[in-house]
Amino acid sequence: MNLENQDIYLISFGIFLFFLTIFVVARQISNRNKIPLKIDGNSEVVLEQSQIDFEDESADQQEIVGFYLFSIDGSPFSFEQLSNYFQNLSLTYNNEFFFMTKFEKEIFRVANAKKPGTLDLTSNTNALMIVTDLLDQIDPVQTYDDMVDFASQFSEVHHANICDFERKPVSKQLINHFRNKATEIAKEQTLEKIQ
């Protein structure tokens, strides 16, 4: 290799390292959820977890867990785009919500995070809510894992931030906390079946 080729090689390698460093730093910031969010500041239009009605309203207790999915750039999700995406993942549409079901039982639902919470052709929202009632699940841990996988996949495909119900980026600690809660509920269900 002559001197000119070595210089070109070193310059190219230096440029590669520069861009690799930028990518790694940007990825670390993203993974720490420190990218600024564009979230509707009007808290009155955002649904709270308690405002989602589940079918079994007669239940004495509920353990509602879930996440918000906010468009990163604030642009709305189109109903047609959501409908096609959700149907490809086998979610069903009923009563203006999308549902993930197993064995004909709802395991989680996706709703418009803005009031009135419904999704239809006229919906123009940049915020969705994904929720489940862990106490109403046959397998709370699997349901929770499915919901987290869904939220993660959705966020990558549709450029969304996953946030908690305080509209803050979801932390690994919160994800683990909810999973531990699902595990406790599953253990309690098993004990009830034994007795």
Side-chain angles (χ1 to χ4, degrees), residues 25-128:
V25 169
R27 185 72 178 173
Q28 286 176 339
I29 291 170
S30 173
N31 287 343
R32 281 189 239 139
N33 292 317
K34 298 208 185 222
I35 293 177
L37 304 176
K38 292 185 179 180
I39 299 172
D40 190 339
N42 185 353
S43 61
E44 291 180 21
V45 299
V46 180
L47 286 175
E48 299 300 327
Q49 63 187 24
S50 60
Q51 294 173 301
I52 292 291
D53 295 324
F54 282 87
E55 290 176 16
D56 189 7
E57 294 175 6
S58 64
D60 292 335
Q61 294 181 332
Q62 291 183 323
E63 189 63 57
I64 308 294
V65 297
F67 308 105
Y68 286 126
L69 300 166
F70 290 107
S71 169
I72 288 176
D73 62 3
S75 62
F77 305 114
S78 78
F79 179 79
E80 183 179 346
Q81 179 186 31
L82 292 175
S83 181
N84 290 336
Y85 180 75
F86 292 155
Q87 286 177 4
N88 286 337
L89 295 177
S90 301
L91 273 74
T92 55
Y93 182 73
N94 191 12
N95 294 329
E96 298 180 318
F97 295 103
F98 284 93
F99 301 90
M100 175 62 81
T101 58
K102 278 190 181 175
F103 310 113
E104 298 183 17
K105 179 170 179 55
E106 175 185 341
I107 61 168
F108 64 80
R109 74 175 57 176
V110 181
N112 185 348
K114 295 186 178 181
K115 292 181 181 178
T118 56
L119 287 167
D120 58 34
L121 288 170
T122 62
S123 297
N124 185 25
T125 185
N126 63 348
L128 298 174

Side-chain angles (χ1 to χ4, degrees), residues 107-147:
I107 61 168
F108 64 80
R109 74 175 57 176
V110 181
N112 185 348
K114 295 186 178 181
K115 292 181 181 178
T118 56
L119 287 167
D120 58 34
L121 288 170
T122 62
S123 297
N124 185 25
T125 185
N126 63 348
L128 298 174
M129 178 188 284
I130 174 173
V131 291
T132 190
D133 179 4
L134 292 176
L135 291 178
D136 192 40
Q137 300 304 315
I138 295 168
D139 187 345
V141 176
Q142 187 60 54
T143 294
Y144 181 70
D145 289 345
D146 289 345
M147 194 173 71

Side-chain angles (χ1 to χ4, degrees), residues 115-195:
K115 292 181 181 178
T118 56
L119 287 167
D120 58 34
L121 288 170
T122 62
S123 297
N124 185 25
T125 185
N126 63 348
L128 298 174
M129 178 188 284
I130 174 173
V131 291
T132 190
D133 179 4
L134 292 176
L135 291 178
D136 192 40
Q137 300 304 315
I138 295 168
D139 187 345
V141 176
Q142 187 60 54
T143 294
Y144 181 70
D145 289 345
D146 289 345
M147 194 173 71
V148 170
D149 289 345
F150 173 85
S152 179
Q153 183 179 356
F154 182 91
S155 71
E156 288 180 23
V157 172
H158 295 280
H159 308 290
N161 283 305
I162 305 171
C163 297
D164 62 21
F165 285 129
E166 294 178 2
R167 296 181 209 111
K168 296 176 183 171
V170 169
S171 65
K172 288 181 182 178
Q173 290 85 357
L174 182 69
I175 289 173
N176 291 336
H177 170 71
F178 283 155
R179 193 170 197 287
N180 290 338
K181 191 176 285 192
T183 302
E184 288 172 16
I185 291 169
K187 287 177 184 175
E188 289 171 11
Q189 289 174 342
T190 302
L191 288 173
E192 286 174 11
K193 288 177 188 175
I194 293 171
Q195 295 174 352

